[in-house]
Amino acid sequence: MGTAENLPRPARALLWRITAAGGNYLNVSAPSLEAALPLAPPRPALRSQSFKSRDPSTEGGDGVDMELGLAGRRVLVTGAGKGIGRGTVQALHAAGARVVAVSRTQADLDSLVRECPGIDPVCVDLSDWEATERALGSVGPVDLLVNNAAVALLQPFLDVTKEAFDRSFEVNLRAVIQVSQIVARGLIARGAPGAIVNISSQASQRAITNHSIYCSTKGALDMLTKVMALELGPHKIRVNAVNPTVVMTPMGQANWLDPHKAKTVLDRIPLGKFAEVAHVVDAILFLLSDRSGMTTGSTVPVDGGFWAT
Ligand SMILES: NC(=O)c1ccc[n+]([C@@H]2O[C@H](COP(=O)([O-])OP(=O)(O)OC[C@H]3O[C@@H](n4cnc5c(N)ncnc54)[C@H](OP(=O)(O)O)[C@@H]3O)[C@@H](O)[C@H]2O)c1
């Protein structure tokens, strides 16, 4: 019985796609790997397996993967333990990248290392500036960065607390600045090009009830992305944001499981559905890769058209 680590890159990429499309981005096992492999050669089987949980009425394509050239690149991903961050680590690992996975809960990192052998786990609470400096100050050369960790602490505006405000801005904005400084300083010292992707939200540019603090952190993150792009561009470091609609990760489930509440957002989405982790990961990988070599300072919606309405 093989491990994902020992497979050729195309097989690992296929495994990730099948796993992500099935919504099982928490666990990849060797038996599921063996079950998946025979599906690789015929394209129709690949398509039906790869995208089985996506909607064929809005998602065509011929099932051909775009080569992104991420193999061998060292990528740091924050918030790697769950949800979009975890899916991103799995995809990068499958693409042959060397991943530094940063998250707050050790058990999440332990299971992630079992799924993705060879990744570098770092357990730290990014709201703690000094602890983050200790944990990442000597992380070594990093080529690409995904600032994904965030909290969504929802309160009616009139009930917003100092604690929720401080924690939200510490994790969602201040940590992005701190981790990006560490990575960008290293790139500049090496004279190496790089790319940074900040995970923002559709909520950065639209008002959503009880989201005053979350919307504010993401609105600030969009503008931070543009100023970082302005100042880091001359150093050949691109900086972009990805702005998803609701995704049913642990964060999404905590806030959007109530169907009446979910309908208030779904009614504003032309494609009529929420995003999946794989949709967001695809956009992240594209913006990390040289395929987006002329794109910087952008906010890329993965929102089914929410911003268009
Ligand atoms: N899910 C959505 O509907 C949605 C929509 C738009 C944008 N986004 C954005 O997408 C990104 C990922 O969201 P998600 O849905 O995947 O969230 P999630 O399911 O809550 O996962 C977030 C991950 O970040 C980690 N994290 C949170 N605070 C941290 C801290 N202080 N230090 C280190 N790690 C920390 C969490 O670790 P612990 O669990 O151990 O704290 C967890 O592993 C966020 O930026 C979010 O704002 C999400």
Side-chain angles (χ1 to χ4, degrees), residues 121-161:
V122 178
C123 192
V124 66
D125 182 342
L126 292 165
S127 70
D128 183 334
W129 184 280
E130 286 72 29
T132 301
E133 200 60 45
R134 282 195 299 276
L136 295 177
S138 54
V139 69
V142 172
D143 304 304
L144 308 167
L145 168 63
V146 183
N147 285 306
N148 164 79
V151 292
L153 306 175
L154 309 190
Q155 297 171 326
F157 169 71
L158 292 175
D159 298 332
V160 165
T161 61

mmCIF file of all heavy atoms in Angstrom, residues 121-161:
data_model
loop_
_atom_site.group_PDB
_atom_site.id
_atom_site.type_symbol
_atom_site.label_atom_id
_atom_site.label_comp_id
_atom_site.label_asym_id
_atom_site.label_seq_id
_atom_site.Cartn_x
_atom_site.Cartn_y
_atom_site.Cartn_z
ATOM 1 N N PRO A 121 5.151 21.621 9.790
ATOM 2 C CA PRO A 121 4.081 22.221 10.590
ATOM 3 C C PRO A 121 4.618 23.237 11.606
ATOM 4 O O PRO A 121 5.660 23.018 12.217
ATOM 5 C CB PRO A 121 3.503 21.006 11.332
ATOM 6 C CG PRO A 121 4.653 20.064 11.463
ATOM 7 C CD PRO A 121 5.576 20.307 10.302
ATOM 8 N N VAL A 122 3.909 24.337 11.770
ATOM 9 C CA VAL A 122 4.271 25.344 12.783
ATOM 10 C C VAL A 122 3.004 25.687 13.553
ATOM 11 O O VAL A 122 2.036 26.186 12.978
ATOM 12 C CB VAL A 122 4.845 26.622 12.131
ATOM 13 C CG1 VAL A 122 5.157 27.657 13.207
ATOM 14 C CG2 VAL A 122 6.087 26.309 11.307
ATOM 15 N N CYS A 123 3.021 25.414 14.871
ATOM 16 C CA CYS A 123 1.842 25.672 15.691
ATOM 17 C C CYS A 123 2.033 26.986 16.442
ATOM 18 O O CYS A 123 2.923 27.107 17.301
ATOM 19 C CB CYS A 123 1.632 24.510 16.674
ATOM 20 S SG CYS A 123 0.017 24.587 17.473
ATOM 21 N N VAL A 124 1.204 27.968 16.128
ATOM 22 C CA VAL A 124 1.316 29.271 16.797
ATOM 23 C C VAL A 124 -0.022 29.997 16.692
ATOM 24 O O VAL A 124 -0.756 29.822 15.719
ATOM 25 C CB VAL A 124 2.454 30.132 16.171
ATOM 26 C CG1 VAL A 124 2.143 30.519 14.728
ATOM 27 C CG2 VAL A 124 2.742 31.355 17.015
ATOM 28 N N ASP A 125 -0.328 30.796 17.722
ATOM 29 C CA ASP A 125 -1.499 31.671 17.667
ATOM 30 C C ASP A 125 -1.058 32.985 17.050
ATOM 31 O O ASP A 125 -0.318 33.759 17.654
ATOM 32 C CB ASP A 125 -2.060 31.890 19.074
ATOM 33 C CG ASP A 125 -3.316 32.761 19.056
ATOM 34 O OD1 ASP A 125 -3.561 33.460 18.045
ATOM 35 O OD2 ASP A 125 -4.050 32.734 20.054
ATOM 36 N N LEU A 126 -1.518 33.253 15.835
ATOM 37 C CA LEU A 126 -1.043 34.417 15.078
ATOM 38 C C LEU A 126 -1.524 35.741 15.669
ATOM 39 O O LEU A 126 -1.072 36.802 15.234
ATOM 40 C CB LEU A 126 -1.487 34.307 13.612
ATOM 41 C CG LEU A 126 -0.817 33.177 12.823
ATOM 42 C CD1 LEU A 126 -1.582 32.909 11.519
ATOM 43 C CD2 LEU A 126 0.641 33.518 12.503
ATOM 44 N N SER A 127 -2.420 35.684 16.663
ATOM 45 C CA SER A 127 -2.818 36.939 17.315
ATOM 46 C C SER A 127 -1.752 37.396 18.309
ATOM 47 O O SER A 127 -1.810 38.510 18.817
ATOM 48 C CB SER A 127 -4.167 36.773 18.033
ATOM 49 O OG SER A 127 -4.010 35.929 19.166
ATOM 50 N N ASP A 128 -0.781 36.544 18.587
ATOM 51 C CA ASP A 128 0.300 36.850 19.535
ATOM 52 C C ASP A 128 1.545 37.258 18.737
ATOM 53 O O ASP A 128 2.232 36.417 18.144
ATOM 54 C CB ASP A 128 0.568 35.599 20.393
ATOM 55 C CG ASP A 128 1.630 35.842 21.468
ATOM 56 O OD1 ASP A 128 2.491 36.733 21.289
ATOM 57 O OD2 ASP A 128 1.587 35.119 22.487
ATOM 58 N N TRP A 129 1.826 38.558 18.703
ATOM 59 C CA TRP A 129 2.914 39.098 17.872
ATOM 60 C C TRP A 129 4.264 38.476 18.232
ATOM 61 O O TRP A 129 5.019 38.037 17.361
ATOM 62 C CB TRP A 129 2.972 40.616 18.029
ATOM 63 C CG TRP A 129 3.991 41.289 17.157
ATOM 64 C CD1 TRP A 129 5.330 41.385 17.390
ATOM 65 C CD2 TRP A 129 3.758 41.940 15.902
ATOM 66 N NE1 TRP A 129 5.946 42.058 16.363
ATOM 67 C CE2 TRP A 129 5.012 42.426 15.429
ATOM 68 C CE3 TRP A 129 2.607 42.176 15.132
ATOM 69 C CZ2 TRP A 129 5.139 43.118 14.228
ATOM 70 C CZ3 TRP A 129 2.747 42.873 13.942
ATOM 71 C CH2 TRP A 129 4.008 43.326 13.505
ATOM 72 N N GLU A 130 4.560 38.404 19.552
ATOM 73 C CA GLU A 130 5.879 37.901 19.970
ATOM 74 C C GLU A 130 6.008 36.399 19.654
ATOM 75 O O GLU A 130 7.057 35.942 19.178
ATOM 76 C CB GLU A 130 6.101 38.142 21.472
ATOM 77 C CG GLU A 130 6.382 39.607 21.829
ATOM 78 C CD GLU A 130 5.150 40.508 21.705
ATOM 79 O OE1 GLU A 130 4.020 39.991 21.890
ATOM 80 O OE2 GLU A 130 5.311 41.706 21.418
ATOM 81 N N ALA A 131 4.948 35.642 19.944
ATOM 82 C CA ALA A 131 5.003 34.198 19.661
ATOM 83 C C ALA A 131 5.166 33.950 18.155
ATOM 84 O O ALA A 131 5.894 33.042 17.738
ATOM 85 C CB ALA A 131 3.731 33.520 20.167
ATOM 86 N N THR A 132 4.512 34.779 17.356
ATOM 87 C CA THR A 132 4.624 34.621 15.897
ATOM 88 C C THR A 132 6.049 34.923 15.444
ATOM 89 O O THR A 132 6.609 34.216 14.591
ATOM 90 C CB THR A 132 3.602 35.546 15.185
ATOM 91 O OG1 THR A 132 2.291 35.189 15.625
ATOM 92 C CG2 THR A 132 3.696 35.428 13.671
ATOM 93 N N GLU A 133 6.631 35.957 16.033
ATOM 94 C CA GLU A 133 8.015 36.295 15.689
ATOM 95 C C GLU A 133 8.942 35.127 16.029
ATOM 96 O O GLU A 133 9.818 34.756 15.245
ATOM 97 C CB GLU A 133 8.437 37.566 16.464
ATOM 98 C CG GLU A 133 9.623 38.291 15.887
ATOM 99 C CD GLU A 133 9.394 38.760 14.447
ATOM 100 O OE1 GLU A 133 8.316 39.303 14.147
ATOM 101 O OE2 GLU A 133 10.315 38.558 13.621
ATOM 102 N N ARG A 134 8.719 34.526 17.217
ATOM 103 C CA ARG A 134 9.569 33.389 17.623
ATOM 104 C C ARG A 134 9.367 32.198 16.676
ATOM 105 O O ARG A 134 10.318 31.521 16.289
ATOM 106 C CB ARG A 134 9.224 32.964 19.064
ATOM 107 C CG ARG A 134 9.814 33.850 20.150
ATOM 108 C CD ARG A 134 9.733 33.162 21.517
ATOM 109 N NE ARG A 134 8.359 32.877 21.933
ATOM 110 C CZ ARG A 134 7.554 33.756 22.542
ATOM 111 N NH1 ARG A 134 7.989 34.981 22.801
ATOM 112 N NH2 ARG A 134 6.327 33.424 22.894
ATOM 113 N N ALA A 135 8.101 31.949 16.319
ATOM 114 C CA ALA A 135 7.792 30.753 15.521
ATOM 115 C C ALA A 135 8.237 30.886 14.065
ATOM 116 O O ALA A 135 8.638 29.903 13.444
ATOM 117 C CB ALA A 135 6.288 30.464 15.572
ATOM 118 N N LEU A 136 8.143 32.100 13.528
ATOM 119 C CA LEU A 136 8.372 32.260 12.085
ATOM 120 C C LEU A 136 9.593 33.115 11.739
ATOM 121 O O LEU A 136 9.982 33.201 10.568
ATOM 122 C CB LEU A 136 7.121 32.874 11.411
ATOM 123 C CG LEU A 136 5.868 32.005 11.446
ATOM 124 C CD1 LEU A 136 4.699 32.738 10.817
ATOM 125 C CD2 LEU A 136 6.099 30.669 10.748
ATOM 126 N N GLY A 137 10.186 33.721 12.757
ATOM 127 C CA GLY A 137 11.312 34.622 12.498
ATOM 128 C C GLY A 137 12.454 33.944 11.754
ATOM 129 O O GLY A 137 13.145 34.569 10.952
ATOM 130 N N SER A 138 12.643 32.657 12.017
ATOM 131 C CA SER A 138 13.728 31.945 11.332
ATOM 132 C C SER A 138 13.173 30.793 10.491
ATOM 133 O O SER A 138 13.735 29.697 10.449
ATOM 134 C CB SER A 138 14.742 31.419 12.350
ATOM 135 O OG SER A 138 14.075 30.639 13.313
ATOM 136 N N VAL A 139 12.061 31.062 9.821
ATOM 137 C CA VAL A 139 11.389 30.009 9.045
ATOM 138 C C VAL A 139 12.202 29.614 7.798
ATOM 139 O O VAL A 139 11.986 28.561 7.220
ATOM 140 C CB VAL A 139 9.962 30.468 8.646
ATOM 141 C CG1 VAL A 139 10.010 31.595 7.609
ATOM 142 C CG2 VAL A 139 9.122 29.310 8.132
ATOM 143 N N GLY A 140 13.126 30.478 7.416
ATOM 144 C CA GLY A 140 13.936 30.159 6.229
ATOM 145 C C GLY A 140 13.286 30.694 4.964
ATOM 146 O O GLY A 140 12.246 31.363 5.017
ATOM 147 N N PRO A 141 13.922 30.395 3.817
ATOM 148 C CA PRO A 141 13.439 30.972 2.564
ATOM 149 C C PRO A 141 12.027 30.507 2.206
ATOM 150 O O PRO A 141 11.749 29.309 2.207
ATOM 151 C CB PRO A 141 14.440 30.467 1.518
ATOM 152 C CG PRO A 141 15.458 29.685 2.229
ATOM 153 C CD PRO A 141 15.096 29.535 3.654
ATOM 154 N N VAL A 142 11.164 31.458 1.944
ATOM 155 C CA VAL A 142 9.795 31.175 1.508
ATOM 156 C C VAL A 142 9.583 31.907 0.190
ATOM 157 O O VAL A 142 9.900 33.093 0.075
ATOM 158 C CB VAL A 142 8.767 31.662 2.562
ATOM 159 C CG1 VAL A 142 7.345 31.540 2.023
ATOM 160 C CG2 VAL A 142 8.912 30.886 3.870
ATOM 161 N N ASP A 143 9.049 31.215 -0.818
ATOM 162 C CA ASP A 143 8.814 31.819 -2.137
ATOM 163 C C ASP A 143 7.425 32.414 -2.266
ATOM 164 O O ASP A 143 7.233 33.428 -2.936
ATOM 165 C CB ASP A 143 8.986 30.759 -3.242
ATOM 166 C CG ASP A 143 10.359 30.097 -3.185
ATOM 167 O OD1 ASP A 143 11.357 30.831 -3.240
ATOM 168 O OD2 ASP A 143 10.419 28.853 -3.068
ATOM 169 N N LEU A 144 6.451 31.739 -1.655
ATOM 170 C CA LEU A 144 5.044 32.086 -1.859
ATOM 171 C C LEU A 144 4.319 32.039 -0.518
ATOM 172 O O LEU A 144 4.636 31.201 0.332
ATOM 173 C CB LEU A 144 4.390 31.104 -2.828
ATOM 174 C CG LEU A 144 5.115 30.883 -4.174
ATOM 175 C CD1 LEU A 144 4.548 29.662 -4.903
ATOM 176 C CD2 LEU A 144 5.013 32.119 -5.048
ATOM 177 N N LEU A 145 3.346 32.938 -0.333
ATOM 178 C CA LEU A 145 2.649 33.030 0.955
ATOM 179 C C LEU A 145 1.146 33.101 0.742
ATOM 180 O O LEU A 145 0.669 33.856 -0.110
ATOM 181 C CB LEU A 145 3.135 34.304 1.690
ATOM 182 C CG LEU A 145 2.340 34.756 2.918
ATOM 183 C CD1 LEU A 145 2.394 33.703 4.031
ATOM 184 C CD2 LEU A 145 2.878 36.101 3.426
ATOM 185 N N VAL A 146 0.410 32.345 1.553
ATOM 186 C CA VAL A 146 -1.052 32.440 1.569
ATOM 187 C C VAL A 146 -1.478 32.866 2.968
ATOM 188 O O VAL A 146 -1.370 32.095 3.926
ATOM 189 C CB VAL A 146 -1.724 31.098 1.207
ATOM 190 C CG1 VAL A 146 -3.246 31.270 1.164
ATOM 191 C CG2 VAL A 146 -1.202 30.572 -0.130
ATOM 192 N N ASN A 147 -1.942 34.118 3.088
ATOM 193 C CA ASN A 147 -2.457 34.624 4.365
ATOM 194 C C ASN A 147 -3.935 34.268 4.447
ATOM 195 O O ASN A 147 -4.797 34.987 3.926
ATOM 196 C CB ASN A 147 -2.276 36.140 4.437
ATOM 197 C CG ASN A 147 -0.839 36.543 4.693
ATOM 198 O OD1 ASN A 147 -0.219 36.086 5.654
ATOM 199 N ND2 ASN A 147 -0.299 37.395 3.844
ATOM 200 N N ASN A 148 -4.213 33.140 5.088
ATOM 201 C CA ASN A 148 -5.573 32.595 5.083
ATOM 202 C C ASN A 148 -6.243 32.632 6.458
ATOM 203 O O ASN A 148 -7.464 32.741 6.550
ATOM 204 C CB ASN A 148 -5.507 31.153 4.556
ATOM 205 C CG ASN A 148 -6.749 30.352 4.842
ATOM 206 O OD1 ASN A 148 -7.757 30.494 4.156
ATOM 207 N ND2 ASN A 148 -6.716 29.522 5.891
ATOM 208 N N ALA A 149 -5.467 32.564 7.550
ATOM 209 C CA ALA A 149 -6.062 32.472 8.892
ATOM 210 C C ALA A 149 -6.940 33.690 9.172
ATOM 211 O O ALA A 149 -6.578 34.820 8.851
ATOM 212 C CB ALA A 149 -4.963 32.374 9.945
ATOM 213 N N ALA A 150 -8.091 33.434 9.765
ATOM 214 C CA ALA A 150 -8.985 34.535 10.143
ATOM 215 C C ALA A 150 -10.013 34.007 11.133
ATOM 216 O O ALA A 150 -10.209 32.791 11.256
ATOM 217 C CB ALA A 150 -9.691 35.118 8.919
ATOM 218 N N VAL A 151 -10.649 34.935 11.828
ATOM 219 C CA VAL A 151 -11.795 34.587 12.666
ATOM 220 C C VAL A 151 -12.993 35.400 12.188
ATOM 221 O O VAL A 151 -12.834 36.490 11.644
ATOM 222 C CB VAL A 151 -11.517 34.865 14.165
ATOM 223 C CG1 VAL A 151 -10.452 33.915 14.699
ATOM 224 C CG2 VAL A 151 -11.105 36.327 14.398
ATOM 225 N N ALA A 152 -14.188 34.846 12.398
ATOM 226 C CA ALA A 152 -15.433 35.558 12.076
ATOM 227 C C ALA A 152 -16.256 35.620 13.362
ATOM 228 O O ALA A 152 -16.943 34.665 13.711
ATOM 229 C CB ALA A 152 -16.185 34.839 10.966
ATOM 230 N N LEU A 153 -16.124 36.714 14.083
ATOM 231 C CA LEU A 153 -16.827 36.882 15.354
ATOM 232 C C LEU A 153 -18.000 37.830 15.093
ATOM 233 O O LEU A 153 -17.814 39.042 14.994
ATOM 234 C CB LEU A 153 -15.879 37.453 16.410
ATOM 235 C CG LEU A 153 -14.576 36.657 16.594
ATOM 236 C CD1 LEU A 153 -13.628 37.340 17.573
ATOM 237 C CD2 LEU A 153 -14.875 35.232 17.064
ATOM 238 N N LEU A 154 -19.187 37.268 14.936
ATOM 239 C CA LEU A 154 -20.341 38.053 14.500
ATOM 240 C C LEU A 154 -21.107 38.605 15.701
ATOM 241 O O LEU A 154 -21.437 37.870 16.634
ATOM 242 C CB LEU A 154 -21.259 37.199 13.628
ATOM 243 C CG LEU A 154 -20.579 36.455 12.466
ATOM 244 C CD1 LEU A 154 -21.616 35.854 11.537
ATOM 245 C CD2 LEU A 154 -19.620 37.360 11.699
ATOM 246 N N GLN A 155 -21.365 39.906 15.655
ATOM 247 C CA GLN A 155 -22.138 40.570 16.712
ATOM 248 C C GLN A 155 -22.959 41.683 16.056
ATOM 249 O O GLN A 155 -22.475 42.333 15.122
ATOM 250 C CB GLN A 155 -21.194 41.209 17.749
ATOM 251 C CG GLN A 155 -20.324 40.219 18.504
ATOM 252 C CD GLN A 155 -19.259 40.913 19.358
ATOM 253 O OE1 GLN A 155 -18.729 41.958 18.986
ATOM 254 N NE2 GLN A 155 -18.960 40.320 20.508
ATOM 255 N N PRO A 156 -24.169 41.958 16.575
ATOM 256 C CA PRO A 156 -24.865 43.160 16.112
ATOM 257 C C PRO A 156 -23.990 44.385 16.398
ATOM 258 O O PRO A 156 -23.281 44.411 17.411
ATOM 259 C CB PRO A 156 -26.137 43.195 16.966
ATOM 260 C CG PRO A 156 -26.296 41.810 17.495
ATOM 261 C CD PRO A 156 -24.920 41.234 17.616
ATOM 262 N N PHE A 157 -24.060 45.380 15.528
ATOM 263 C CA PHE A 157 -23.176 46.531 15.695
ATOM 264 C C PHE A 157 -23.271 47.120 17.104
ATOM 265 O O PHE A 157 -22.244 47.449 17.721
ATOM 266 C CB PHE A 157 -23.505 47.616 14.657
ATOM 267 C CG PHE A 157 -22.797 48.899 14.963
ATOM 268 C CD1 PHE A 157 -21.418 48.999 14.791
ATOM 269 C CD2 PHE A 157 -23.489 49.998 15.480
ATOM 270 C CE1 PHE A 157 -20.745 50.170 15.116
ATOM 271 C CE2 PHE A 157 -22.819 51.165 15.804
ATOM 272 C CZ PHE A 157 -21.445 51.255 15.626
ATOM 273 N N LEU A 158 -24.484 47.234 17.637
ATOM 274 C CA LEU A 158 -24.639 47.891 18.946
ATOM 275 C C LEU A 158 -24.055 47.066 20.092
ATOM 276 O O LEU A 158 -23.864 47.576 21.187
ATOM 277 C CB LEU A 158 -26.117 48.192 19.209
ATOM 278 C CG LEU A 158 -26.722 49.258 18.296
ATOM 279 C CD1 LEU A 158 -28.231 49.413 18.549
ATOM 280 C CD2 LEU A 158 -26.027 50.616 18.503
ATOM 281 N N ASP A 159 -23.748 45.801 19.841
ATOM 282 C CA ASP A 159 -23.200 44.926 20.889
ATOM 283 C C ASP A 159 -21.731 44.593 20.676
ATOM 284 O O ASP A 159 -21.172 43.735 21.382
ATOM 285 C CB ASP A 159 -23.991 43.608 20.937
ATOM 286 C CG ASP A 159 -25.449 43.832 21.287
ATOM 287 O OD1 ASP A 159 -25.732 44.819 21.981
ATOM 288 O OD2 ASP A 159 -26.301 43.025 20.856
ATOM 289 N N VAL A 160 -21.093 45.239 19.725
ATOM 290 C CA VAL A 160 -19.692 44.905 19.433
ATOM 291 C C VAL A 160 -18.814 45.152 20.665
ATOM 292 O O VAL A 160 -18.918 46.191 21.322
ATOM 293 C CB VAL A 160 -19.170 45.741 18.240
ATOM 294 C CG1 VAL A 160 -17.644 45.693 18.164
ATOM 295 C CG2 VAL A 160 -19.775 45.231 16.942
ATOM 296 N N THR A 161 -17.963 44.186 20.984
ATOM 297 C CA THR A 161 -17.102 44.283 22.167
ATOM 298 C C THR A 161 -15.662 44.611 21.756
ATOM 299 O O THR A 161 -15.240 44.330 20.633
ATOM 300 C CB THR A 161 -17.076 42.947 22.926
ATOM 301 O OG1 THR A 161 -16.555 41.948 22.046
ATOM 302 C CG2 THR A 161 -18.471 42.553 23.406
#
